[in-house]
């Protein structure tokens, strides 16, 4: 159990993305060919002047471009244990989000979401400490029950978890 009353005071400071990562992301964005109907993120994603992203651009950046970059920089065979854990942490979040936003909902989808969200939260605690937890982390554990009760998220997702 995490004592959230002291979490902020006792949390470690961890640097995940150093200054070399944006150039890797930009390079991968430039090299990635996406279908015309997929919203392309700005070429300078992560810089101060990339502007405000639309939801579709965030989706592409997080589910495509950052996956490519993080697999390249953290997924090689000699990567440190921390880098491999960072990659697994991020990929678990991506898998959960991808399955939670499909246009159909099956019990096996809900189980996948539950497993990956649980791994994501536990590995986030390991990597970053309780300071990394936010209200949305708690809310994410309710997504499977909402999918079970209400069906695919595209029909009800507008406000509850924003």
């Amino acid at each position: 159990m995490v004592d959230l009353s002291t979490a902020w005071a006792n949390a470690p400071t961890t640097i995940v993305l150093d200054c070399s990562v944006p150039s890797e992301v930009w390079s991968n964005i430039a090299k990635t060919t996406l279908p015309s109907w997929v919203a392309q993120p700005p070429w300078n994603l992560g810089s101060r002047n990339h502007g405000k992203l639309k939801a579709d651009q965030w989706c592409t950046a997080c589910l495509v471009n950052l996956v490519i970059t993080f697999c390249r920089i953290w997924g090689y065979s000699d990567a440190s244990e921390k880098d491999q854990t960072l990659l697994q942490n991020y990929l678990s979040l991506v898998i959960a989000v991808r399955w939670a936003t499909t246009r159909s909902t099956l019990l096996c989808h809900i189980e996948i979401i539950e497993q990956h969200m649980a791994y994501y939260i536990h590995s986030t605690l390991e990597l970053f400490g309780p300071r990394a937890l936010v209200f949305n982390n708690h809310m994410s554990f309710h997504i499977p029950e909402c999918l079970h009760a209400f069906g695919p998220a595209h029909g009800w997702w507008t406000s509850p978890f924003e």
Side-chain angles (χ1 to χ4, degrees):
M1 185 58 101
V2 175
D3 180 3
L4 294 178
S5 65
T6 60
W8 281 88
N10 300 326
T13 301
T14 303
I15 296 173
V16 177
L17 304 176
D18 62 25
C19 58
S20 68
V21 174
S23 61
E24 292 289 331
V25 173
W26 300 335
S27 173
N28 289 332
I29 288 172
K31 294 175 187 174
T32 303
T33 302
L34 297 171
S36 60
W37 64 86
V38 175
Q40 180 81 14
W43 67 270
N44 58 347
L45 178 70
S47 69
R48 292 181 185 185
N49 58 353
H50 71 64
K52 186 173 180 177
L53 272 63
K54 296 179 181 176
D56 287 345
Q57 291 175 306
W58 274 117
C59 185
T60 303
C62 294
L63 299 181
V64 177
N65 300 108
L66 292 179
V67 170
I68 292 168
T69 301
F70 294 160
C71 284
R72 280 189 53 244
I73 64 176
W74 294 333
Y76 58 94
S77 59
D78 294 337
S80 71
E81 186 176 333
K82 179 184 175 189
D83 286 349
Q84 291 175 7
T85 304
L86 285 167
L87 179 59
Q88 288 302 316
N89 172 269
Y90 187 73
L91 291 178
S92 285
L93 176 62
V94 167
I95 291 167
V97 167
R98 183 66 188 103
W99 281 105
T101 58
T102 59
R103 295 259 175 195
S104 64
T105 301
L106 300 173
L107 289 177
C108 62
H109 298 171
I110 293 170
E111 291 171 5
I112 291 168
I113 296 163
E114 289 172 330
Q115 292 169 356
H116 284 279
M117 283 309 302
Y119 177 84
Y120 171 73
I121 297 298
H122 289 293
S123 61
T124 296
L125 283 169
E126 281 180 29
L127 287 164
F128 309 111
R131 187 177 194 170
L133 294 178
V134 295
F135 180 72
N136 289 11
N137 296 128
H138 169 80
M139 294 300 292
S140 69
F141 281 113
H142 294 286
I143 291 173
E145 69 187 77
C146 290
L147 289 169
H148 186 71
F150 306 120
H154 72 275
W156 52 265
W157 67 14
T158 304
S159 298
F161 301 116
E162 290 182 13

